[in-house]
């Protein structure tokens, strides 16, 4: 498959990344324009970083995240939902996965798993949090397989038509047997 996972200068490749997200997530041009500004702002936050997955030199997926701060917009929205379930401490000392998207032509090949485990492997925080549309989906199945658990469900973001689930996992993420073998030292 010629898959390469590596650092991505997301500010320089934002349009390419958002093209992947638009197809994977069904975004229209107006939503892409708003997200472009959000991504550029996020990449200025301390500790923000991104990885890309390229297949034959073309971006097939990306992930980005950062150390969480209770002052970030996302945290202010999810905090009441987490507090209601006594889970708001997850907002502290966590690495938040802000976006993870794989182009539909490349899904179900382990790319999303490799992206999220690789970016969290470098996190200094002891845990990770993220949000995902609150339905049974391949994405939520992936997160559950990595050790993420539901911290809050039916979370409503302003202007989002569907509710989300907030999920958290201790780091390092749980590995599937194939991941363990691939990431184990030889010998």
């Amino acid at each position: 498959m010629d898959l390469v996972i590596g650092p991505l200068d997301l500010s320089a490749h934002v349009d390419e990344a958002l093209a992947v997200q638009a197809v994977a997530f069904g975004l229209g041009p107006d939503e892409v324009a708003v997200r472009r500004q959000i991504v550029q702002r996020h990449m200025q936050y301390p500790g923000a970083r991104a990885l890309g997955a390229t297949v034959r030199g073309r971006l097939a997926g990306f992930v980005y995240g950062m150390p969480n701060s209770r002052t970030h917009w996302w945290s202010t929205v999810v905090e009441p939902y987490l507090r209601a379930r006594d889970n708001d401490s997850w907002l502290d000392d966590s690495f938040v996965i802000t976006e993870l998207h794989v182009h539909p032509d490349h899904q179900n090949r382990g790319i999303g798993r490799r992206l999220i485990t690789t970016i969290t492997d470098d996190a200094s925080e002891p845990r990770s949090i993220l949000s995902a549309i609150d339905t049974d989906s391949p994405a939520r199945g992936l997160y559950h397989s990595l050790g993420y658990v539901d911290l809050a469900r039916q979370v409503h973001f302003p202007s989002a038509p569907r509710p989300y689930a907030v999920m958290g996992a201790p780091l390092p993420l749980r590995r599937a047997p194939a991941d363990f073998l691939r990431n184990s030292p030889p010998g």
Side-chain angles (χ1 to χ4, degrees):
M1 179 169 48
D2 297 327
L3 173 69
V4 177
I5 304 276
L8 174 66
D9 181 348
L10 192 53
S11 294
H13 296 279
V14 66
D15 293 325
E16 189 179 0
L18 289 176
V20 170
Q21 183 175 0
V23 174
F25 212 58
L27 301 179
D30 291 342
E31 292 169 295
V32 169
V34 169
R35 289 178 187 251
R36 187 178 201 285
Q37 294 175 355
I38 293 168
V39 168
Q40 296 290 24
R41 184 178 67 243
H42 283 167
M43 293 316 294
Q44 302 304 311
Y45 289 171
R49 59 187 190 282
L51 296 176
T54 58
V55 176
R56 293 181 293 284
R58 293 187 52 98
L59 191 67
F62 73 99
V63 63
Y64 82 91
M66 65 198 83
N68 193 56
S69 168
R70 284 182 181 254
T71 63
H72 294 163
W73 175 84
W74 181 86
S75 290
T76 64
V77 173
V78 303
E79 191 270 337
Y81 295 93
L82 293 172
R83 188 175 356 99
R85 297 197 46 196
D86 201 27
N87 285 326
D88 61 311
S89 64
W90 278 84
L91 293 172
D92 303 315
D93 297 319
S94 291
F95 186 82
V96 62
I97 301 299
T98 308
E99 300 287 350
L100 170 61
H101 299 285
V102 176
H103 191 285
D105 291 346
H106 300 285
Q107 291 177 0
N108 300 311
R109 298 181 185 173
I111 294 172
R113 176 180 297 276
R114 293 216 17 225
L115 283 167
I116 195 170
T117 56
T118 302
I119 200 166
T120 57
D121 280 350
D122 290 336
S124 60
E125 297 76 17
R127 54 193 172 184
S128 173
I129 54 176
L130 56 79
S131 56
I133 294 174
D134 195 1
T135 61
D136 288 331
S137 66
R140 289 208 355 112
L142 168 64
Y143 303 143
H144 284 299
S145 76
L146 292 167
Y148 284 89
V149 296
D150 293 335
L151 302 173
R153 307 259 331 248
Q154 298 297 303
V155 174
H156 295 275
F157 289 101
S159 77
R162 297 179 283 184
Y164 280 70
V166 175
M167 304 175 77
L171 295 178
L173 295 175
R174 183 185 308 144
R175 297 291 205 247
D179 288 339
F180 178 76
L181 293 174
R182 182 173 33 250
N183 294 317
S184 295

